[in-house]
Each structure stands twice: as C-alpha cells, then as structure tokens.
Amino acid sequence: MEFKVLGPLRASVPLPSAAQPRRVLAVLLTRPNEFVHRDVLVDELWPQEPPSSAAAVVQMAVSKLRKALSPGLPVDDARQRLRSGAGGYRLTVSEGELDASGFSGLKAAAATATGGERRTLLDRALGLWRGAAFADVPAGPLVEAHKLWLEDQRCSVLGKLVELDLAAGDHKAVADRLGPELAARPGDERLAGWLAEALSGLGRRDAALAVLDRCRHALWEQAGVSPGEDLLAVHRRIAGTGWSAGGPPSRLPQATPDFSGRAAELAEVARALRSPAPVVLHGTAGAGKSALAVQAAWRARKRFPDGQLVADLRETGDVLAGFLRALGLAEAELPTDRAGLISLWQSHTADRRLLVILENGRSEAEVRPLLPSGPGCATIVTTRRRLAGLVGARPVEVGELSYAESRALLGAIVGEARLSAETDAVRRVLACCDGLALAVRVAGVKLQQRPRLSIADFATRLEKERLRLDELAVGDLAVRPALAEVLAELSPRQRNSLRLLGSPGATEMADWFATALLGCSSREAAGLLDELVDDHLLHAEPDRSGFRRYRLSGLVRLALREPPDPAAVRRALTLMATLAEHASAALGPEYPPARRADAPAAALDRVAADPIGWRATETANLALAIRSARAHGWAALTERLADAYSDLVGPRHGGSLALLGFEIVRDRLDRPAEAAKLLKLGHSHADAGDSARARTCFALAEARFRSAGDQRGTGAALVALADVDADSGRTRSAVDALREALDLLRACGDLAGQAMASAQFGSLWDDLGDFRRAKECFDASLLLSLHCEDGWQHDRSAKRYADVLRRYGRIDEAGELLTSALTGTRNSRERHWEAHVLRSLGDLHAKAGDARESERCHSRSLQLFEHVGHRHAAAYTHRSFGESLRLAGEHGRAAEHLGLAMSTFRALGDRRGGGYALLSFGRLRADEGVATEAAEGLRTAAGLFRELGFPVWELRALQDLSAVDSGGRQRDRAREALTKIRSGAVPG
C-alpha cells in the first residue's frame, strides 16, 4: 500500500470520490499509526460550527474509507488498516508507504552525509514532491498546519541544495530550479538573492538586477517594508552600487491624526489613483484639500514602491531638481536647463511606480511639466481652481463639510462628551463655520485650549459678524489670512464683482439678481459668475424653478470688508420688486400676466411658469430686500416690495413686513392709497379665513373711500363687507351694505361692480330661502357682466348661480352655466376660480349620481387650490368631496375628507364652513347607522345655521335630524325656519 500527500492526495487503491472521506484520510495521514479522536475530526471538517449530524457523518466517512483500504475485511479483523478505539480512529501505515515519511527520512540522512552523496539525497527528497502538499484536499486547521510544516521542510531542503549548487558553480541548475519558485513567491528575499547570484554568474547582470527589483517591489506591496541587509549586499555585489538602506523616497507628511469625514471623496480618489491621469482636488482655501490628499496618499502608498514625492508649488526652488535628487541622482547628473530637467524627469519616471503630490497648483502650465510620465505613476494636485486644461485629469471637488462631518471633526478635537452637553450651541458654532474645514478645526482647537469656555459663549462671540474672523484664529491657524490670500490673487474686476455680490447680505441669490447687481449684460455677468464659481468663491446650483442660484460664503463676505454699492443694491432690489409683482400677478386672476419692459423676458417667463416655486425660493430674500430698501430710505421701493410680499405670502404669514406698505402710505397721509391697500389687505385676510381681521380692514377701507368721495371704492368695500357679514350671520348688515353698494356703483357707472354686488345678493337671498329674489339678482348679474370688458365676472356669477340651481334640482341649467364658466376660467388661466368651478361641477355630478366624474372634478379642484396655496378654499372642496363620497357609499374616504375640512374650519374660526361639515358628518353617521352621533352632529349644525341666520340650511339639517331622532324639538324649529323662509324676513 502507498500513500502520497506531497502533491494531490493519492493511494495505491481507489479512494472514495466524496470530499468527506478524503478529508478524514488526510487528517489520519498527518498522524499515522496514532489514534485521532472523533472530536478532532469534527473540528477539522467543520471549523466554524458543526451540524448536529457531525458524528454520524464522520462515522460514515470512516466506513467508506475502511471498505476502500481493506476491501472485504471485517471491522474487527486484525488485518484491518483503519481501526476504531479510544474514542477515535487509527490508520496503520507501514515504513515506506507514506511519501512524507520518506521525505523526512531522506532529509535526515542528508544531514549526516557529505559531498556528492548529500547532494543526491537532497535531490531525491525534492523529487518526491509533485506540487503543494495535500493540493486537492480542502484543509482544516490541522491539515493546514501540517501543510505549512511540510512546506517549510521542503524550503529547507531546497535552500541546502541551492547552496551546494552555488558552491559547485552550477549556476544554471540554480537558475532552473529557482525560476518557478520565485515566480510563486516574489517577495522571498533568500530565493531572490540566490537567483540573482546565479544569473549574475551566468553573465546575465540585467536579469539579476530585475529579479532584485521585483523582490523589492513585492516586499513594499505585500508588507510595506524595504529589503534586508543580505539582499542589499547582493545588490551591491552585482550592481556595484547599493540601494538606499531607507528604501525608496517617502516624503509624505504625517497624516492628520483626527481626520474625519470625506468618505466619498477618499473613495473617489482611491479609484482615480489606479490610472496615471492626474487627480485634481479643487476647492476653496481652507477646505481641507491638503489633508485629504495626504490621507489618500498614505492609504495608497503601498501601490507605489518607487516612492512618494511632495512639493508645494508656492515655495521657491526647482521642484524637478528636488524630485530627481530624491530619486538618487547626483548633483552632477542634473541638467542646468529647464528642458533638460523635464526630459530627465520624464525618462526617469517612465518605468517607475511613483506617487507625486503637487500642492497649491495655480495653473495648468505650472503643473503639466511636473507630471510623471510612467503608466504606473499617479499624481494628486491640490488647487483652488479646477485646472480644466489638464487633459484627462480626474477632478474631485473638495466642497463644504456636511453638518455631520463638521460635527465629527469638532468632536474628534474637542471630545464627544463636551459636544453632547451643549448640542444647540454646537449647531450655532458650526453654522458660523460655513462648512469650511479650516474654520471648524480652528473652532475646535480654540475650545480644546479653553476648557472653561462654554460652547454657548463661544457661539455668541462667533455670531457677531464683525468679530467672527478675529475669533476664528488660534496660534498660526487662522481663517482670515487664508481667505485674504485668495482675494489678493483675484483680478480687480473679479474682486469688484465679488464685492457687489456680497453687498445685499443675502445668503443666496438667483442669476437675474446677481446680473442686476453686477450691472452688465446677462452674457457678461454669466462669464464673471462662472469665473468666481471656478475659483470656489461662489457656489452655484439650479433651484426648482430653473434659475441658477449663487451662494457666497458668509466667511468670504466678511473677509471682503467692503461697503455696499447703493446703486447696485437699488438696481437689484428694483428687479426683485418687478419679479415679485409678476409672481403675484401669475397667482392672481389675470393669468398669464403681461410681460413688463423693466425686467428680462427670460426671468419673467420663468416666474410666470412656476410662481409657487419662485415664491418658495425667494420669500426669505424678498423679506431681506424689504429691510434693505427701508434701511437705505427708499420709501417707494420699500412700498413696492412690501406690497408684493404681502400679496405673495399673505398678511397672516408675512407679519410686520407685509404691513409695511400700508404704514408708508399712512405716514404720508395718502387717504386713497391707504384705502386701496386696506381693501387689498382685507381680501388677503378673507382668503386666509381670518374673517375678523378682514372685516376690520374692509370697514376702515370703506370709511376712507367715503371720506375721499370715491363712490367706486366705497361700493367695492361695501360688497366685501357684505360678503364677510353674510358668512358670519349678520344678514341684515349684509343686505343693507349691498343695497347701498348697488346705489353707489350705479351712480358711478361701474358695471363690473354692480354685477359682483348682484351676484352676492343672489347668494344671500338663496341662504335666506328666497329663490325668486335670488334668481332675479343672478339674472341681473349675468346681464351686467355681459357688458363688461372681460368675462371674469360672468364666470363668477355663473358659478354661484349654478350652485343655487343645483340645490333646487335644476341640474341641466346648472350644468350649462358651469360648463361655460369652466371654459372661461381655463381660457383666462384663472386657476383659483377654475378650482371653484370644478368644485361646483363635482357637487353637480354627485347630485346626478356620477361618482367617478365627481371624484375627478373634486381631485382636480384640490390640486389647484393646493398649487395656489389657498387652504381655506381647499377646506370647502374637502367638504364637498366628503359629501360626494358619502353619496357614493365610500364612508371611510368620506370621513377622511370631512375631517380635514373640519380641522381647517376650526383653525380659521369659520362657523359657516363648520356647519356645512357637521351637516355632512351627521348624514354620514346616519348612513352608517350610528344614530346617536348622527343626531348630535345634525343638531349642532342646525343650531349653528340658526345662529348665523340661514333658515334654509337650518331646515335641511332639521329634516335630516328627524330621520334619526323623532323625539326632539326639531319639528317646532323646522316650522319656525319654514315660517322665516316663507315670510321673507331678514333677521337682524
């Protein structure tokens, strides 16, 4: 029987093909003639976690081996090779049957032999090897350790044989023997030295030096170490000169110990360094480019065994000469001319693997000659400019640190415990640092040096803009000098542009605003802005409206320390007012607004295309513009800006700034202008659902119009007052106001005003249950509106009239009016009124039983109201949507919409809307069979309508209440409501 393990596992009998029996045999052959416990076999086969069936699997594998090694013999036969006992198994192996034992015997014999006999024995020992030991067997811990021991023994025999061959001068035998060995283990210094000696003895000096170089590279790549003294001595003997004992030049500065963040940039640089194209790290001064470059270089250095070189291009001295000296060239070998140095650098780096860092590159022409030429080299360039002219370069922007990265860096310097104790103050400090790595580091070092200084106190100091740059300085770390150096390198034109952009104090601005500040053509401004973006002094990105927005770092703005240019600021604020007015017009009834001559057409078109997006983006800047105009004393411009701001955001959300336009005209005692602003302000409050403030503004406006003798204005104010009074239950006041308004509007010939007042009267009479008077008013309103210059009032009157006709069952007439109104509002692009008409159409389709079309109309109405930001009107659509879903039997969705409507009505104090929602809620609960809740809701709704003086709606609620609660007083109240309706009485 023969067993061979010095190579693939073999035996003189056929072995099982399954993996487990072969692995068991391998373990047993590492300990021949010894009992191997079953637990050892289990650990070998399953090093991590054995299955519950492990013992059974081992037993089966042993059984298969017995049948293969001792076919036909019983288990307890004395001739059985694989026997059980002592909790394990023993494989009997006789002398001469195992090749590993034969190898060990020959090695031991050679140790005592001499001369040719020793060489023969060693040669025979190596001849037993057919490859790596146990080559085709998956190794567990035991077999793996045995393999390593056998390989070590083989290397020992190989080394003794090579030494004998070298001593005998048989260099060819050594070269033939070691070539394949070193290919498998290129970093083995002993083998490399022997092979180099043999090749040198054969006269192949270049090949010998190449072997040594490959070993040197392998050592650097695998372990980051340099060759030992023995290999250095071999190199000296063959080359006549030695390698530097310190290895290749490594000029990398120490990596920043507390380096934090920049994970994405590090990964991008690591990928880019796998090609010879230069990696350009570009960013503003203080962004941390150098720290990032050094960090990336330390991580990649093992891939560049010929060295790492660093040069700061701001320093004096010839960079190329310094690089070549670092690579081992003597001073006498360096050319005296620039062209010669460049040529020598390129030829000397063609076959090397170098990593070069060039700090503070200022131009492509400065950097290009310093790039190593070899495909195995890599270069990192740090620069404040993009250096787009470097062909094939891989740009990596080193931008602002995110808040998380800034906090991590601050925590690495100061300590996480201190930051956790003052989280809000940390956020304030980092906000003042603008994401600039240098600023964060300076803040951290300052806090570290002053442990008794609270972070909150430090934040308070930083928030004082005039002191911020002074505070961001500690030792030789300071933000101001870094920024000053950047600003000093700018051209006068660039510096002036930057000064203008920083003068309004805005954190960011659109391209049209920046162009107005610069006071030049849009094309010229775009070029200037692009230059500043390329220099990382401005940040640019598009907003949701398509405008390119520019942001000037607060620290850069403070470093400029230049007074604002009033003419440039006024020019930009005037354009801001124009575009804000255009956005307001685009959100109002006149859509699309006409182009104006005092603003660029492209900017006007973009504002008109998305006025909601423009409002969301520019609201903060518009508020800043108002304050800036007021601070400069520009009253007329302040008034324009404040009025546009009020129109866009509403007085409810605009605060004191939205009222500033009114205060200006009040202070100059301009009664007509004051009245117009009060009327406009009242409509804004009414749209927002604030009836109390709306009525106050309308009453004040009416008094001022009346004192100025303005009949048209007085009539408009009275109509607005009547609308608020009618909704709040003051029906007598509403009727009186509308009657007087009609008289005044007839006297001054205002047809549109008369049409509006008549339609308002029609809705009021309908609420009071007088359909005949309501019809007369609506007919008059429609007739009057036909003689107006535009059809907007006709569409509004038609919509209101259709709502009345629908409630009285005249579906076809209502449908014709709404179809006409929808066409008119869409043609005029009046999205607000289109949404109102769609709501009425949804109600009409629900009444007709067309649930699908009703849902489509209500959904579109909600979309439009949400688009124009009309929360109050949207609540009425939610109520209508809920009612239509109730009629369609979708109770869950109906309750959701009614709940949204009710919450809005409560928040705005709209009792009438709340009554409508409660009426629908009561009907919904009645449909669901919840009589108690239904009765409660309907009773509350009836009471609200009674208080408001709307007998028709009270009667409807009481009729529904009778169906669920027959024992209450609703019959008596219903008779009272019906009496009011029939008598035509107008409650006081």
Side-chain angles (χ1 to χ4, degrees):
M1 180 76 69
E2 287 185 344
F3 296 101
K4 295 184 178 182
V5 299
L6 302 180
L9 180 61
R10 296 290 183 268
S12 57
V13 296
L15 295 175
S17 59
Q20 303 294 34
R22 294 175 61 82
R23 295 184 69 184
V24 170
L25 178 60
V27 177
L28 295 174
L29 287 173
T30 64
R31 297 183 181 179
N33 303 313
E34 297 179 18
F35 273 104
V36 179
H37 199 278
R38 182 186 299 158
D39 291 345
V40 174
L41 292 173
V42 169
D43 291 341
E44 179 70 15
L45 269 58
W46 297 280
Q48 300 300 323
E49 185 174 351
S52 58
S53 59
V57 172
V58 170
Q59 192 171 359
M60 290 174 61
V62 170
S63 177
K64 290 180 181 180
L65 278 176
R66 281 198 184 106
K67 293 176 182 178
L69 299 176
S70 304
L73 292 179
V75 174
D76 56 354
D77 193 294
R79 293 170 295 169
Q80 178 63 256
R81 277 189 174 270
L82 183 52
R83 301 178 64 86
S84 303
Y89 308 95
R90 182 183 69 182
L91 178 64
T92 302
V93 180
S94 301
E95 186 176 351
E97 289 185 333
L98 180 60
D99 60 353
S101 299
F103 170 76
S104 298
L106 290 170
K107 179 177 179 291
T112 58
T114 58
E117 182 184 359
R118 184 183 186 194
R119 189 180 187 284
T120 301
L121 291 171
L122 293 172
D123 209 8
R124 284 176 58 196
L126 282 181
L128 295 175
W129 286 77
R130 297 168 291 111
F134 299 98
D136 59 348
V137 178
L142 188 69
V143 173
E144 184 63 34
H146 195 65
K147 284 173 64 175
L148 292 174
W149 178 80
L150 288 172
E151 180 63 23
D152 186 61
Q153 297 302 305
R154 189 188 74 84
C155 290
S156 175
V157 170
L158 176 64
K160 291 179 173 63
L161 194 56
V162 167
E163 288 175 346
L164 290 175
D165 287 339
L166 286 174
D170 193 351
H171 296 123
K172 185 175 185 308
V174 173
D176 292 343
R177 205 183 292 277
L178 294 184
E181 295 284 344
L182 198 61
R185 292 183 291 167
D188 191 316
E189 293 185 68
R190 191 173 60 158
L191 295 182
W194 286 335
L195 181 55
E197 295 271 17
L199 291 172
S200 178
L202 293 171
R204 298 171 59 189
R205 179 176 178 273
D206 290 342
L209 293 175
V211 167
L212 296 173
D213 279 335
R214 282 196 297 272
C215 181
R216 179 188 187 190
H217 292 169
L219 286 169
W220 186 258
E221 288 182 345
Q222 294 169 7
V225 298
S226 301
E229 286 298 331
D230 290 342
L231 203 62
L232 293 174
V234 173
H235 186 275
R236 280 193 294 271
R237 285 198 298 272
I238 296 173
T241 61
W243 283 325
S244 168
S250 181
R251 303 293 178 85
L252 294 178
Q254 180 186 2
T256 306
D258 48 21
F259 185 89
S260 301
R262 302 293 190 196
E265 291 88 342
L266 280 171
E268 191 173 355
V269 174
R271 288 192 296 270
L273 287 177
R274 297 185 182 278
S275 75
V279 182
V280 178
L281 301 182
H282 59 93
T284 190
K289 303 181 293 295
S290 296
L292 175 61
V294 172
Q295 192 76 17
W298 274 103
R299 295 187 179 194
R301 60 190 279 268
K302 290 183 181 179
R303 299 210 311 270
F304 302 96
D306 289 320
Q308 304 87 44
L309 302 174
V310 180
D312 188 339
L313 303 187
R314 292 176 303 184
E315 297 177 358
T316 58
D318 197 314
V319 172
L320 283 180
F323 281 174
L324 290 168
R325 290 189 198 97
L327 292 177
L329 273 71
E331 194 69 36
E333 298 177 90
L334 300 180
T336 56
D337 61 306
R338 178 73 172 168
L341 282 172
I342 294 173
S343 177
L344 185 60
W345 168 248
Q346 291 175 346
S347 63
H348 213 64
T349 56
D351 297 318
R352 291 178 182 265
R353 298 173 66 184
L354 283 170
L355 175 59
V356 177
I357 297 180
L358 302 174
E359 296 252 39
N360 299 302
R362 286 165 288 196
S363 68
E364 293 89 342
E366 181 183 44
V367 169
R368 199 173 286 117
L370 305 179
L371 301 178
S373 62
C377 297
T379 309
I380 302 176
V381 183
T382 69
T383 174
R384 288 196 289 267
R385 298 179 174 86
R386 297 179 186 273
L387 303 186
L390 283 181
V391 178
R394 302 283 297 276
V396 177
E397 182 171 2
V398 185
E400 298 173 350
L401 293 173
S402 67
Y403 175 78
E405 290 176 321
S406 297
R407 194 186 188 287
L409 176 56
L410 193 67
I413 301 170
V414 177
E416 187 59 35
R418 191 171 174 190
L419 298 193
S420 300
E422 297 185 74
T423 54
D424 291 339
V426 169
R427 192 173 294 276
R428 290 165 57 201
V429 167
L430 294 179
C432 293
C433 293
D434 281 335
L436 190 70
L438 176 59
V440 177
R441 178 166 294 282
V442 171
V445 173
K446 199 159 195 176
L447 288 169
Q448 182 190 42
Q449 287 189 345
R450 301 176 184 177
R452 293 178 180 161
L453 174 65
S454 74
I455 300 178
D457 288 344
F458 185 50
T460 301
R461 294 185 193 177
L462 289 177
E463 286 168 343
K464 296 175 181 177
E465 288 194 346
R466 60 187 180 83
L467 300 177
R468 186 175 304 166
L469 292 180
D470 294 329
E471 288 292 337
L472 290 175
V474 56
D476 62 353
L477 284 176
V479 173
R480 190 194 300 276
L483 296 178
E485 184 180 347
V486 177
L487 297 175
E489 293 179 1
L490 295 177
S491 67
R493 186 165 176 250
Q494 288 175 322
R495 185 179 177 85
N496 184 58
S497 299
L498 203 61
R499 178 178 64 85
L500 291 172
L501 295 172
S503 58
T507 56
E508 59 177 35
M509 62 192 74
D511 53 359
W512 53 264
F513 193 85
T515 301
L517 280 170
L518 296 176
C520 55
S521 69
S522 57
R523 182 175 180 180
E524 187 178 2
L528 275 168
L529 293 168
D530 285 343
E531 289 176 11
L532 295 172
V533 169
D534 288 342
D535 285 347
H536 294 281
L537 292 167
L538 280 182
H539 303 279
E541 57 184 15
D543 64 13
R544 56 174 284 183
S545 301
F547 291 112
R548 198 176 189 202
R549 301 191 71 78
Y550 296 93
R551 180 170 54 81
L552 179 66
S553 163
L555 295 174
V556 173
R557 181 168 52 82
L558 294 177
L560 285 166
R561 293 187 300 179
E562 304 262 356
D565 180 355
V569 174
R570 182 162 194 158
R571 187 168 57 237
L573 296 189
T574 302
L575 180 57
M576 170 71 83
T578 300
L579 293 183
E581 290 163 352
H582 200 64
S584 178
L587 288 170
E590 298 178 8
Y591 187 91
R595 277 188 183 175
R596 304 170 55 150
D598 52 348
L604 290 168
D605 290 344
R606 282 189 284 180
V607 169
D610 185 16
I612 298 292
W614 192 91
R615 177 178 64 186
T617 304
E618 295 293 353
T619 295
N621 282 341
L622 185 54
L624 181 64
I626 297 170
R627 295 187 183 97
S628 181
R630 190 181 190 185
H632 282 87
W634 300 326
L637 182 55
T638 303
E639 182 183 351
R640 281 185 64 193
L641 288 165
D643 288 348
Y645 182 74
S646 178
D647 291 343
L648 284 172
V649 304
R652 188 185 185 96
H653 302 291
S656 60
L657 289 179
L659 302 175
L660 192 56
F662 169 72
E663 293 173 3
I664 290 172
V665 297
R666 185 188 59 191
D667 292 344
R668 69 171 183 245
L669 303 178
D670 186 344
R671 290 289 180 175
E674 186 181 347
K677 288 191 187 304
L678 281 166
L679 183 61
K680 191 175 182 181
L681 199 58
H683 283 302
S684 295
H685 283 304
D687 288 343
D690 193 339
S691 299
R693 284 193 174 93
R695 192 180 195 287
T696 300
C697 290
F698 291 146
L700 291 171
E702 184 261 336
R704 282 159 178 73
F705 278 128
R706 198 183 293 276
S707 65
D710 186 340
Q711 292 180 317
R712 185 190 301 266
T714 304
L718 286 169
V719 171
L721 266 173
D723 197 13
V724 174
D725 285 344
D727 281 344
S728 58
R730 290 189 283 265
T731 49
R732 170 61 66 186
S733 297
V735 169
D736 291 343
L738 286 173
R739 282 173 176 161
E740 184 182 2
L742 278 171
D743 290 340
L744 290 171
L745 294 169
R746 288 191 192 105
C748 67
D750 184 354
L751 296 179
Q754 293 175 60
M756 183 185 299
S758 296
Q760 181 70 23
F761 235 146
S763 296
L764 181 57
W765 287 126
D766 173 58
D767 286 336
L768 296 173
D770 194 334
F771 177 70
R772 181 186 60 80
R773 285 183 176 178
K775 184 177 183 304
E776 290 174 356
C777 290
F778 279 121
D779 288 339
S781 177
L782 290 174
L783 184 62
L784 286 165
S785 64
L786 290 175
H787 296 283
C788 297
E789 292 183 1
D790 53 48
W792 64 269
Q793 183 55 50
H794 182 275
D795 297 334
R796 288 160 175 70
S797 298
K799 184 266 178 198
R800 286 185 163 187
Y801 194 9
D803 289 341
V804 174
L805 292 172
R806 182 194 77 244
R807 286 193 284 269
Y808 283 92
R810 297 166 68 167
I811 303 298
D812 292 340
E813 293 177 67
E816 290 178 7
L817 286 172
L818 288 175
T819 301
S820 171
L822 183 63
T823 301
T825 54
R826 283 179 172 170
N827 287 340
S828 62
R829 303 289 294 276
E830 295 181 74
R831 286 168 290 187
H832 176 88
W833 269 96
E834 180 186 349
H836 280 292
V837 174
L838 282 168
R839 179 175 67 216
S840 295
L841 270 172
D843 294 341
L844 185 68
H845 287 302
K847 180 89 171 178
D850 190 346
R852 183 175 181 180
E853 192 62 23
S854 174
E855 178 164 352
R856 188 187 69 80
C857 291
H858 283 140
S859 297
R860 179 59 180 157
S861 174
L862 281 177
Q863 289 176 358
L864 289 171
F865 279 136
E866 288 167 3
H867 179 70
V868 298
H870 205 316
R871 178 189 174 203
H872 190 208
Y876 277 90
T877 298
H878 277 299
R879 181 261 166 188
S880 292
F881 206 167
E883 179 68 15
S884 68
L885 289 169
R886 179 191 72 81
L887 292 172
E890 296 192 45
H891 296 165
R893 293 177 63 203
E896 182 180 347
H897 281 283
L898 291 174
L900 289 171
M902 180 58 77
S903 63
T904 303
F905 290 141
R906 283 174 178 163
L908 298 177
D910 184 349
R911 302 177 70 212
R912 179 175 186 164
Y916 292 153
L918 280 170
L919 178 59
S920 292
F921 258 126
R923 290 169 175 171
L924 176 64
R925 293 294 179 252
D927 292 346
E928 294 174 333
V930 187
T932 304
E933 290 187 25
E936 183 180 354
L938 292 169
R939 191 176 293 111
T940 306
L944 266 175
F945 291 134
R946 184 183 183 88
E947 291 175 14
L948 291 171
F950 298 148
V952 174
W953 286 99
E954 181 188 0
L955 183 60
R956 288 170 182 153
L958 291 171
Q959 287 172 338
D960 289 328
L961 180 61
S962 297
V964 294
D965 182 11
S966 58
R969 294 184 52 208
Q970 53 269 22
R971 290 185 181 178
D972 294 338
R973 290 179 178 173
R975 289 192 190 96
E976 293 176 15
L978 191 59
T979 301
K980 291 177 184 177
I981 294 169
R982 288 174 177 172
S983 66
V986 178

